[in-house]
Amino acid sequence: MQAPAPPNAPGAIDWRHLPGLADYAATLAAMEARVADIAAGRAGEAIWLLEHPPLYTAGTSARPQDLTRPGRFPVHSAGRGGQYTYHGPGQRVVYVMLDLNRRGRDVRRFVCALEDWVIASLDAFNIRAERRAGRVGVWVTRPEKPPLPDGTAREDKIAAIGIKLRRWVSFHGLSINVEPDLSHFDGIVPCGITGHGVTSLVDLGLPVTMADLDAALQASFDPARFDFRA
């Protein structure tokens, strides 16, 4: 896979949709090449929208015991932050390559901005999604499910976030569950978090397509949200 060409408009973000199921290793190599070009000033920032075939990825904090069915799908060492996650058909993967050298070098605010972007995108479908302290990602409360043993409401994760920075250019990014096979998450402890589950737009009863989500992601992307210089 070749890295996409730089955008034509100076300073514009190059939005690309990669069709089909993108090979993980080839996509990672292309992403790393694009990040190197951004850092060197040879290419502009980019956001790629894609799907992968079924696979598990291990972040830098992944614990071996959290891979509960190691032979189920291929396992890739991602090099991003976080623990184990699943990618597969029906899940929108968004690789975000932004230059924090000019946006402000603040990793915590960058992760929060990614979460806020997902929350704003899901709001277009009347989903109240939220972040949780100590749990990176985006969550949906499920009052119709039995509460946890301590009486607190059960929550399901609808979006995962894992990033890496190289020379202050971001890569990897986030994944949002549209209509994946949720049983595929059973082979891992998603993001190392127990007690809560995983959901999707369709699981929540919303007939949302991948194209619907893509439109919401682009419409709710606010460049000011990713300006951390103030």
Side-chain angles (χ1 to χ4, degrees):
M1 173 181 172
Q2 295 291 323
N8 294 323
I13 293 176
D14 181 21
W15 287 78
R16 294 292 177 99
H17 175 263
L18 307 185
L21 298 179
D23 178 81
Y24 187 81
T27 306
L28 182 60
M31 182 166 49
E32 290 182 337
R34 182 59 178 252
V35 166
D37 285 343
I38 294 170
R42 296 188 296 265
E45 298 174 310
I47 295 177
W48 295 351
L49 307 173
L50 61 138
E51 294 174 80
H52 285 305
L55 57 90
Y56 298 128
T57 67
T60 54
S61 301
R63 301 174 297 188
Q65 64 269 29
D66 287 345
L67 181 63
T68 58
R69 297 181 63 182
R72 188 171 189 185
F73 297 122
V75 180
H76 296 267
S77 178
R80 55 159 174 79
Q83 302 186 35
Y84 281 106
T85 194
Y86 166 78
H87 294 317
Q91 181 192 72
R92 174 54 81 219
V93 175
V94 186
Y95 288 139
V96 182
M97 289 157 273
L98 299 181
D99 187 357
L100 300 192
N101 290 292
R102 65 184 184 85
R103 293 178 176 274
R105 297 180 175 184
D106 193 318
V107 178
R108 185 180 298 274
R109 290 176 67 188
F110 177 57
V111 171
C112 287
L114 291 173
E115 292 172 334
D116 286 341
W117 178 28
V118 172
I119 290 168
S121 300
L122 296 177
D123 186 62
F125 309 108
N126 295 315
I127 295 176
R128 182 181 177 182
E130 300 171 302
R131 67 162 60 92
R132 287 290 179 263
R135 287 191 259 142
V136 175
V138 176
W139 300 80
V140 177
T141 302
R142 305 299 300 272
E144 74 278 14
K145 290 187 173 183
L148 295 173
D150 64 0
T152 58
R154 193 172 296 273
E155 297 175 336
D156 285 348
K157 193 170 194 175
I158 194 167
I161 293 174
I163 64 164
K164 184 174 181 178
L165 296 173
R166 182 172 294 160
R167 295 174 62 184
W168 286 100
V169 177
S170 70
F171 59 119
H172 295 283
L174 57 96
S175 60
I176 304 173
N177 298 326
V178 178
E179 192 179 8
D181 185 337
L182 295 179
S183 72
H184 289 179
F185 286 89
D186 295 345
I188 57 172
V189 178
C191 301
I193 297 170
T194 58
H196 297 285
V198 180
T199 190
S200 69
L201 288 158
V202 171
D203 181 55
L204 291 172
L206 299 167
V208 177
T209 67
M210 200 70 75
D212 293 333
L213 177 61
D214 291 347
L217 283 166
Q218 290 198 254
S220 61
F221 184 84
D222 181 2
R225 182 180 285 127
F226 291 89
D227 188 342
F228 316 120
R229 291 171 294 182

